[in-house]
Amino acid sequence: MQSVVIVLLGIVGMLFGWFVYSKFIAEKIFKMDDKFVTPAHELQDGVDYIPTNKVVLWGHHFTSVAGAAPIVGPAIAVYWGWVPAVLWVVFGTIFFAGVHDMGALWASARHKGKSMGALSESVIGKRTRSLFMIVVFLVLLMVNAVFGVVIANSFVSQPNAVFPAWAAIVVALIIGQLLHRKMPLIPLCAIGVGVLYATIYMGSSMPISLPTEMFGLADKANWIIILFIYAAIASLLPVWMLLQPRDFINGMQLLVGLVLLYGAVFISMPDITAPAFNTQTAVDTPSIIPLLFVTIACGAVSGFHGIVSSGTSSKQLDKETDGRFVGYLGAVGEGCLALITLVAVSGVALAVSPEEWHEIYSHLGAGSVGAFITGGANLIENGWGISTEVASTLLAVMVVLFAGTTMDSGVRLQRYIIQEWGEIYNIGALKNGILATLVAVGCCLLLAFGAGGSSGSGGMIIWPLFGSTNQILASLTLLVISVMLIKAGRPAKYTLIPMVFVLTMAFFAGVIKLAEYYQQGNWLLVTLDAIVLIVSILVMLEAWSVIVAHKQDGNKEEQDSSQA
């Protein structure tokens, strides 16, 4: 019964955020205007810039930002207790993530669809742009290299998910062509989701595996290479052809999954076996503050969202006011996924007693995606009577498809960053989309196999940096939005307060990790962590100097007018 109370309170909070808070921010602070000509219309090229139905764009945006992170983060962070995790997910979604994502869309759309790193030059200054783009590139490198490993691991451990995952691409290509020919959206959506679920049912009885060794590499390494070849091709295709329909179908698939999971909670009304506050943590467990706030990123607030908002989504906004639907509602959808993940890994669906729960969560990092799939599948079986085998395949496919869409968008975004560097430093070769894509994929594979050897798991080496780096990026995005608001003479406290909180927690976590890496003698992570921390300080100083100069100019104008 406790789970029902958690779900109800979370849903009420999210509804307040959508109907009240987001409307206030969009209309009174960002002042979104239907008459404003968005980059999708001004710079329409049929490849990256293309006006898109807001529902379709929401599907693309939502699944691009979600990935596996709103499942992984909460499934790990519940170790500290379900109460702090639930509070951070709900309040983080309402006051942090929604404003951050919608604000990044608005800011980018007002600057011709530039990425957050590139537009920081217009808002703060040239030096900020270069510093900002270093952090953005690092985050994208981490996400792409690691999500390739995550999907490959899932294909090896869950061969039932292979067929539906690749079938979804074929379905998306067909629906993309039909949508481009102005076929009605709703019937196509229903057919696409229906076919996807049919492939999931078929996949549960038709596992597909690669040979354990091929071309001198293990099956996981070969999957990683195949995935990056696919991501390179997908990133070069027009967004309407694959990215939009694939992400939209995945978004609809997630809605069905959420209905099944939330419905199962109300039908079976399970109790919570996890502790509200865990007092039986291992001796070496790090402090909940600040680590909770970087462990749960997606599902509360995440810098990666700002990259997607300003990298791809802003280029597809049909109307500026669609930014509220796409950005804020996308954050709400992700918050709902994080909330139900917490219920699945906290309740009797995973462990029937507190003692069993502590056995599963014996240390920080235990549980994770496996706990979500097990707990979620049992929850669906208890509520709807669907077999755990089918439910497990459904949830595994959901995780794989989410990670895949994030990887698709991530490689495309890396290509944008490299092309922007080509523009900035006048390197003609890097302006070419194909070459920029090859450079992006090459960097990911170099990290995967250069640092990880033949296993291709090199991305995992720098993954420990992701939490603090990602949240520092979120704070820098909020800072850019805040400076824009200050220059426009609008209240900036709605973005400045979240920025200060996130920066404090992320910077504190980065310092803790820096000391940890130093003690381990891991000089690669020491160097990268130090770079991120120094960059964040320099960007803050640059922004502060701009704010002070703006205030001084305003005061001088007031004095001049009063003297006149």
Side-chain angles (χ1 to χ4, degrees):
M1 189 66 184
Q2 291 170 306
S3 58
V4 176
V5 176
I6 294 171
V7 165
L8 285 175
L9 290 176
I11 290 174
V12 169
M14 304 284 188
L15 289 174
F16 163 78
W18 168 243
F19 286 107
V20 179
Y21 195 66
S22 71
K23 185 177 182 182
F24 166 74
I25 297 294
E27 294 179 357
K28 304 299 182 183
I29 307 302
F30 295 149
K31 296 184 179 179
M32 291 181 168
D33 184 3
D34 273 346
K35 295 179 182 178
F36 176 77
V37 179
T38 63
H41 289 281
E42 182 183 359
L43 304 173
Q44 184 172 354
D45 60 5
V47 178
D48 297 319
Y49 293 84
I50 181 168
T52 303
N53 178 290
K54 68 179 181 181
V55 179
V56 175
L57 183 54
W58 172 85
H60 153 68
H61 176 83
F62 174 39
T63 53
S64 294
V65 300
I71 295 171
V72 175
I76 291 175
V78 73
Y79 178 74
W80 284 296
W82 64 264
V83 169
V86 167
L87 289 176
W88 174 229
V89 164
V90 174
F91 287 104
T93 296
I94 298 169
F95 299 107
F96 291 70
V99 176
H100 170 277
D101 296 11
M102 178 170 60
L105 269 171
W106 166 75
S108 178
R110 288 281 170 167
H111 289 82
K112 299 186 182 298
K114 288 183 180 178
S115 71
M116 193 56 62
L119 73 84
S120 66
E121 177 185 1
S122 305
V123 178
I124 300 176
K126 275 190 177 181
R127 285 177 294 188
T128 301
R129 174 195 64 193
S130 300
L131 296 169
F132 207 113
M133 290 175 76
I134 291 172
V135 180
V136 171
F137 189 80
L138 276 176
V139 169
L140 288 172
L141 186 63
M142 293 177 198
V143 168
N144 292 336
V146 171
F147 274 34
V149 176
V150 169
I151 301 169
N153 285 339
S154 298
F155 281 166
V156 172
S157 63
Q158 295 275 349
N160 292 350
V162 174
F163 175 71
W166 290 103
I169 297 170
V170 178
V171 173
L173 284 167
I174 295 171
I175 289 181
Q177 293 293 332
L178 295 176
L179 280 175
H180 195 60
R181 287 163 173 75
K182 308 301 181 184
M183 294 286 285
L185 175 63
I186 294 177
L188 287 178
C189 170
I191 293 169
V193 173
V195 172
L196 178 60
Y197 275 95
T199 64
I200 289 173
Y201 179 78
M202 293 167 63
S204 62
S205 59
M206 192 173 64
I208 297 175
S209 301
L210 289 179
T212 53
E213 185 174 339
M214 188 170 63
F215 307 120
L217 295 173
D219 48 359
K220 186 180 77 171
N222 280 307
W223 274 127
I224 291 172
I225 294 172
I226 292 169
L227 287 164
F228 272 109
I229 292 172
Y230 156 74
I233 296 170
S235 73
L236 289 168
L237 293 176
V239 288
W240 62 264
M241 187 177 291
L242 176 60
L243 197 65
Q244 284 180 352
R246 172 172 155 82
D247 291 357
F248 180 64
I249 293 170
N250 288 348
M252 296 304 103
Q253 178 241 169
L254 174 68
L255 288 181
V256 174
L258 288 177
V259 168
L260 289 174
L261 289 166
Y262 275 92
V265 170
F266 288 106
I267 293 170
S268 61
M269 294 189 290
D271 287 325
I272 297 296
T273 54
F277 298 91
N278 191 3
T279 58
Q280 300 181 37
T281 56
V283 176
D284 59 347
T285 301
S287 170
I288 186 173
I289 297 176
L291 270 300
L292 170 69
F293 303 100
V294 299
T295 302
I296 299 180
C298 295
V301 64
S302 166
F304 180 72
H305 292 201
I307 304 176
V308 176
S309 293
S310 64
T312 61
S313 301
S314 65
K315 296 176 174 63
Q316 301 168 56
L317 274 181
D318 183 30
K319 295 185 292 186
E320 188 178 47
T321 51
D322 289 349
R324 177 180 169 230
F325 186 93
V326 175
Y328 198 96
L329 201 58
V332 167
E334 192 173 59
C336 289
L337 176 58
L339 184 65
I340 200 64
T341 296
L342 287 170
V343 171
V345 301
S346 300
V348 294
L350 178 66
V352 296
S353 69
E355 292 73 23
E356 287 183 350
W357 187 90
H358 280 290
E359 287 180 13
I360 295 171
Y361 277 90
S362 58
H363 61 276
L364 183 66
S368 194
V369 174
F372 166 73
I373 292 175
T374 301
N378 289 335
L379 186 61
I380 290 172
E381 183 187 39
N382 295 337
W384 298 98
I386 299 172
S387 71
T388 53
E389 184 180 24
V390 173
S392 295
T393 301
L394 185 151
L395 295 176
V397 170
M398 188 168 78
V399 171
V400 167
L401 290 181
F402 266 28
T405 52
T406 300
M407 191 175 168
D408 290 358
S409 297
V411 172
R412 185 179 287 264
L413 290 164
Q414 254 189 310
R415 188 246 295 173
Y416 290 159
I417 293 292
I418 292 168
Q419 286 182 294
E420 285 178 354
W421 274 335
E423 295 287 345
I424 292 168
Y425 299 108
N426 197 27
I427 304 174
L430 294 184
K431 298 177 186 179
N432 180 275
I434 295 175
L435 185 59
T437 300
L438 291 176
V439 172
V441 170
C443 289
C444 294
L445 289 174
L446 183 63
L447 174 62
F449 289 94
S454 61
S455 70
S457 300
M460 294 297 182
I461 294 173
I462 66 170
W463 183 248
L465 279 176
F466 178 76
S468 55
T469 304
N470 184 45
Q471 298 304 66
I472 283 175
L473 179 58
S475 65
L476 297 182
T477 299
L478 287 166
L479 177 65
V480 171
I481 298 168
S482 299
V483 174
M484 280 185 64
L485 292 172
I486 290 169
K487 285 184 171 182
R490 301 177 196 171
K493 61 183 178 182
Y494 303 100
T495 51
L496 275 175
I497 293 173
M499 183 274 290
V500 171
F501 180 85
V502 174
L503 178 65
T504 302
M505 294 300 150
F507 195 87
F508 186 16
V511 171
I512 291 174
K513 287 293 184 181
L514 184 65
E516 182 183 314
Y517 302 146
Y518 178 78
Q519 291 172 355
Q520 295 171 353
N522 192 328
W523 300 113
L524 173 63
L525 294 186
V526 166
T527 303
L528 292 177
D529 197 354
I531 289 172
V532 171
L533 293 175
I534 292 169
V535 164
S536 65
I537 293 172
L538 293 175
V539 171
M540 290 293 162
L541 292 175
E542 287 282 333
W544 179 250
S545 67
V546 170
I547 293 171
V548 170
H550 178 76
K551 293 289 186 184
Q552 289 175 344
D553 290 342
N555 293 336
K556 185 178 179 181
E557 288 178 5
E558 288 181 7
Q559 291 174 359
D560 291 343
S561 61
S562 62
Q563 290 174 357

